[in-house]
Amino acid sequence: SLQAFYDVEADLTERETPMDRLICGDVGFGKTEVALRAIFCVVSTGKQAMVLAPTIVLAKQHYEVLCDRFLDYADIKVAFLSRFKTKAEKAEILAGIREGRINIIVGTHALLGGEVDYSNVGLLVVDEEQRFGVKQKEKITSFKTSVDVLTLSATPIPRTLYLSLTGYRDA
């Protein structure tokens, strides 16, 4: 996972085009650690990071890990967005994203809705992309032209693996 981090860091700091990298590894091999370090790199430059997960359980797990990791950084705010948030909570989170008060937003497909302001997003981390539907994948693809995208997967689908192995995506 150390080489993966070096590659991601180089993508974030040295590339002219947005990163589109797949981090593939079994459970416990450090995919989340690579993502955490990439998020820190992006947030420390004043950009926001989004972490997208296919289920609320997985999104909540990422949220808790991020909160724990960035606990000692008072200027880094992490928020969680899902369909189970009340209207008032959702409005507060959306305002925080828009106004830049929230640095890291974690959630499910709710993050891909039209209400979220993506103007300052520098990194999109997608966990288990193969578990999203066609519409969500199209929205994720639309980010790849202007935002660094880091995809995490223990079980990439053959098409994703093929794109990585043939050089269309970095792995």
Side-chain angles (χ1 to χ4, degrees), residues 6-21 148 170:
Y6 290 143
D7 292 343
V8 169
E9 183 183 37
D11 287 349
L12 291 172
T13 58
E14 300 169 14
R15 283 178 73 133
E16 297 292 321
T17 58
M19 170 180 70
D20 182 13
R21 183 170 291 276
D148 290 311
D170 294 317

Side-chain angles (χ1 to χ4, degrees), residues 106-122:
V106 184
T108 58
H109 61 279
L111 287 180
L112 300 174
E115 300 171 305
V116 181
D117 180 358
Y118 308 108
S119 60
N120 196 36
V121 172

Side-chain angles (χ1 to χ4, degrees), residues 23-65:
I23 301 294
C24 187
D26 208 350
V27 174
F29 275 76
K31 298 181 300 291
T32 303
E33 183 62 32
V34 172
L36 289 170
R37 291 174 182 214
I39 289 167
F40 185 77
C41 285
V42 169
V43 169
S44 63
T45 65
K47 290 288 194 177
Q48 293 169 311
M50 285 180 22
V51 180
L52 183 63
T55 66
I56 289 178
V57 171
L58 191 54
K60 190 75 171 159
Q61 187 177 4
H62 282 302
Y63 173 72
E64 290 169 1
V65 167

Side-chain angles (χ1 to χ4, degrees), residues 12 28 43 56 65 75-76 87 96-97 105 112 121 134 139 142 151 155 171:
L12 291 172
V43 169
I56 289 178
V65 167
D75 56 332
I76 297 179
K87 205 170 193 175
I97 295 168
I105 181 69
L112 300 174
V121 172
V134 173
K139 183 75 173 189
S142 74
T151 304
T155 55

